[in-house]
Amino acid sequence: MRRGPVHHPAVLRQGRPARAADTATARHREDTTSRHDLVIRARRVITGAGETGRCIGVTGGRITAVEPLGSALTGDRVVEYGDDVVLLPGLVDTHVHVNEPGRTEWEGFATATRAAAAGGITTLIDMPLNSVPPTVDPAALEAKRASAAGRCHVDVGFWGGAVPGNLGKLRPLHEAGVFGFKCFLIDSGVEEFGHLDPALLAEVLAEVARFGGLVLVHAEDPAEIGRAPAARGRRYRDFLASRPSRAEDAAIARVIEAAAATGCRVHILHLASSDALAMIEAARRDGVRITVETCPHYLTFAAEEIPDGATQFKCCPPIREAAHRERLWAGLARGAVDCVVSDHSPCTPDLKRLDAGDFGLAWGGISSLQLGLPAVWTEARRRGHTLRDVARWLAERPAEIAGLRRKGRIAVGYDADFCVFAPDEEFTVDPARLHHRNPITPYAGRTLTGVVRRTWLRGAEVGGEPAGRLLRRGEA
């Protein structure tokens, strides 16, 4: 059932160029006198100025003109979109566990990137685990790139890993093109990717600061979790108690201290504890270079609503109470939280232990590549946010944090990556229609608002043969 087209049928039509031309400002055009490969006319486009009608010229896979809707741009192909859809920049998901090579039965580049494209994502960055080998040295990076070559439906970059014993490999990985380095402050769950103690964290940050890199941190404190009751059984509240919010807060405080001492740029992954926002904002005021992400599941679900035994909801850090969810939304609104990414972390069905419903035994991870945009939009519009906000959180800011200079915006000089989104259309999540390898999801049966009608990658509609490129830092 999951072998059909990546996208819903598109609402688009081929059309002739408009005869009347509007005057465009120089900052919105590169060359509007020549003929473009593609011209898109859309009544609703999300740009830095908000939502407006635009005529977009594309040549060689790049945006070469962004003009008022009535502009007389000419193109070899002209596509028009009506009022029922909004043209968003292609989304950028910087937190995806593809797991290939080594654990390809969990996920793979072909299936993950099909799911990404179906969700409006045009660029993803793969995490250095849970593949085997993990991406902790240049040889492992090349093995990862070899596995991905020719299999990607969207553009793909790679994070490196910082683990005990590979301090001397960080600069070579940086020079080989990884976008930064992920580390854990607690057991990662896989033995081949060890975690950093406080002393080693400080060494890693000092080393990465020397060459201007970025360190991403899974921030949970092992001492705080060691003092909490062990996770076991079917009750979600028992699992939640085993990963208390104070474990996140203590670990983030340690990262801030180390970043302040070394000057290294750091990024906090998958924030679930809203209690940490105050210290993050204070650190920024003090000059610490720190950014932070959260995930759709932390913005959608609440611990009070999760049924006992429903291990499809298990992730680490855990989904917390509704009060945390609402404070995370407030943090997004004021810029304390920078972006929203999936933390797509799949596994085989048996590892989720749905039969036993035991949170202590189940693998922790939520798969949401295909559903992140509608999940976030469903909740965002209820709170008065706009699609401009959503584009900033899911495209613009992730691209900026990762250093993707031509991704995340509809603007001249950027890649012609677009998501055609029907913001008022509802659907009910059917796992059988998801494209990731193992269609387990806590969103099953949930009604979401917003449907991705079409995804464009560098001026071409995604579908059929893989056309994604493998990206290197500094070249993308």
Side-chain angles (χ1 to χ4, degrees), residues 26-384:
R27 64 190 172 87
H28 279 158
R29 72 183 163 206
E30 185 171 276
D31 181 2
T32 62
T33 60
S34 61
R35 190 175 184 88
H36 300 274
D37 298 339
L38 168 71
V39 169
I40 296 178
R41 303 183 188 281
R43 296 182 181 276
R44 304 173 67 186
V45 179
I46 300 298
T47 70
E51 182 180 315
T52 186
R54 282 289 181 260
C55 186
I56 300 166
V58 176
T59 301
R62 296 272 178 84
I63 299 171
T64 46
V66 180
E67 297 280 327
L69 186 58
S71 296
L73 298 185
T74 59
D76 296 335
R77 181 185 182 192
V78 178
V79 174
E80 298 184 3
Y81 291 111
D83 292 331
D84 59 328
V85 296
V86 179
L87 195 68
L88 301 172
L91 307 185
V92 177
D93 192 339
T94 56
H95 195 150
V96 180
H97 295 266
V98 177
N99 303 336
E100 186 177 5
R103 291 192 174 97
T104 311
E105 70 275 15
W106 293 21
E107 189 61 280
F109 286 102
T111 50
T113 58
R114 279 180 61 86
I121 297 163
T122 52
T123 306
L124 65 82
I125 305 185
D126 171 63
M127 282 291 168
L129 74 162
N130 302 302
S131 57
V132 180
T135 317
V136 295
D137 57 45
L141 174 62
E142 289 311 305
K144 181 73 72 83
R145 292 177 63 87
S147 292
R151 300 172 60 81
C152 297
H153 294 272
V154 302
D155 288 352
V156 175
F158 302 93
W159 298 113
V163 298
N166 84 325
L167 193 66
K169 302 295 185 181
L170 301 181
R171 186 183 290 269
L173 273 168
H174 178 78
E175 293 171 349
V178 300
F179 285 82
F181 304 93
K182 179 178 182 176
C183 68
F184 278 75
L185 304 188
I186 193 169
D187 184 359
S188 71
V190 292
E191 62 180 350
E192 67 272 6
F193 200 94
H195 67 281
L196 307 183
D197 63 24
L200 192 48
L201 172 68
E203 289 185 43
V204 166
L205 265 57
E207 171 64 11
V208 174
R210 292 185 184 101
F211 52 79
L214 171 66
V215 175
L216 296 76
V217 186
H218 179 124
E220 289 183 282
D221 182 77
E224 290 290 351
I225 289 179
R227 286 189 282 268
R232 60 171 63 92
R234 294 176 53 84
R235 295 198 308 178
Y236 185 79
R237 65 181 182 181
D238 291 341
F239 169 62
L240 183 61
S242 76
R243 315 284 293 216
S245 60
R246 64 179 181 272
E248 284 188 81
D249 304 338
I252 291 170
R254 181 176 301 120
V255 173
I256 290 171
E257 182 180 12
T262 61
C264 189
R265 188 161 67 98
V266 295
H267 179 75
I268 302 299
L269 298 166
H270 44 50
L271 183 70
S273 172
S274 61
D275 295 338
L277 290 174
M279 78 173 88
I280 291 169
E281 291 175 287
R284 287 174 177 163
R285 290 192 295 270
D286 291 339
V288 176
R289 297 191 296 166
I290 183 170
T291 50
V292 60
E293 69 186 39
T294 193
C295 304
H297 40 279
Y298 300 130
L299 298 171
T300 299
F301 303 115
E304 297 93 333
E305 303 163 359
I306 296 176
D308 289 345
T311 52
Q312 65 269 30
F313 288 87
K314 180 179 177 179
C315 57
C316 298
I319 296 164
R320 303 199 185 279
E321 297 86 351
H324 282 280
R325 179 186 65 193
E326 297 310 312
R327 290 194 293 266
L328 288 173
W329 274 109
L332 271 171
R334 67 177 185 269
V337 178
D338 294 274
C339 62
V340 184
V341 294
S342 69
D343 189 11
H344 179 73
S345 185
C347 65
T348 53
D350 59 302
L351 294 178
K352 269 298 185 184
R353 300 304 299 267
L354 296 172
D355 53 345
D358 190 323
F359 283 97
L361 299 177
W363 176 262
I366 287 177
S367 301
S368 64
L369 265 175
Q370 193 167 333
L371 301 172
L373 174 57
V376 172
W377 174 235
T378 299
E379 298 299 321
R381 73 187 306 187
R382 291 175 183 168
R383 294 165 173 83

